[in-house]
Amino acid sequence: MLVLHCFNYMNSKCLQLINWTAIIGFIFLLAGTLIAIQYAPWFSWLHSHLSDLGNPVMIEGSSGYPGENPAALWFNGGLVIGGMLLAAFAYRLKLESRKMPLEMGRKASAG
């Protein structure tokens, strides 16, 4: 909610907060993946795909109930939270890129 409030006002504190969402989002992505690998003894960097970690039925004999595979919860949760934080940063970049041609024109004409 605070990030959405920042997009309306765009002061320097808000811009710093939104910049931090990129770093925190990446940390969530990485942490979720690494924790999921710890919960998945069957995972191998050579023989498995990362997307296998998000599959709730990768445990042999599993009925497919999402709570049975904690690796899937960590992996998918990290992707969702990290993706939302990175989307906020991407939106900020989109807003900043709209102003860029105007600023470049002003700098060129000021010579």
Side-chain angles (χ1 to χ4, degrees), residues 51-92:
S51 61
D52 292 343
L53 292 170
N55 188 351
V57 291
M58 282 305 292
I59 297 176
E60 222 173 282
S62 172
S63 65
Y65 178 70
E68 283 186 67
N69 185 3
L73 294 174
W74 281 104
F75 183 73
N76 294 331
L79 288 179
V80 169
I81 295 170
M84 288 172 32
L85 291 168
L86 288 169
F89 180 70
Y91 186 70
R92 178 201 182 266

Side-chain angles (χ1 to χ4, degrees), residues 1-84:
M1 198 65 181
L2 182 60
V3 172
L4 294 176
H5 174 75
C6 283
F7 285 124
N8 292 332
Y9 298 104
M10 284 297 192
N11 60 27
S12 64
K13 275 191 162 191
C14 284
L15 292 177
Q16 287 176 350
L17 173 70
I18 295 170
N19 287 340
W20 277 101
T21 62
I23 296 167
I24 296 169
F26 179 74
I27 290 170
F28 266 96
L29 288 171
L30 188 61
T33 303
L34 294 175
I35 293 170
I37 290 170
Q38 294 300 312
Y39 277 103
W42 47 264
F43 182 78
S44 164
W45 284 104
L46 297 176
H47 304 300
S48 302
H49 302 285
L50 274 176
S51 61
D52 292 343
L53 292 170
N55 188 351
V57 291
M58 282 305 292
I59 297 176
E60 222 173 282
S62 172
S63 65
Y65 178 70
E68 283 186 67
N69 185 3
L73 294 174
W74 281 104
F75 183 73
N76 294 331
L79 288 179
V80 169
I81 295 170
M84 288 172 32

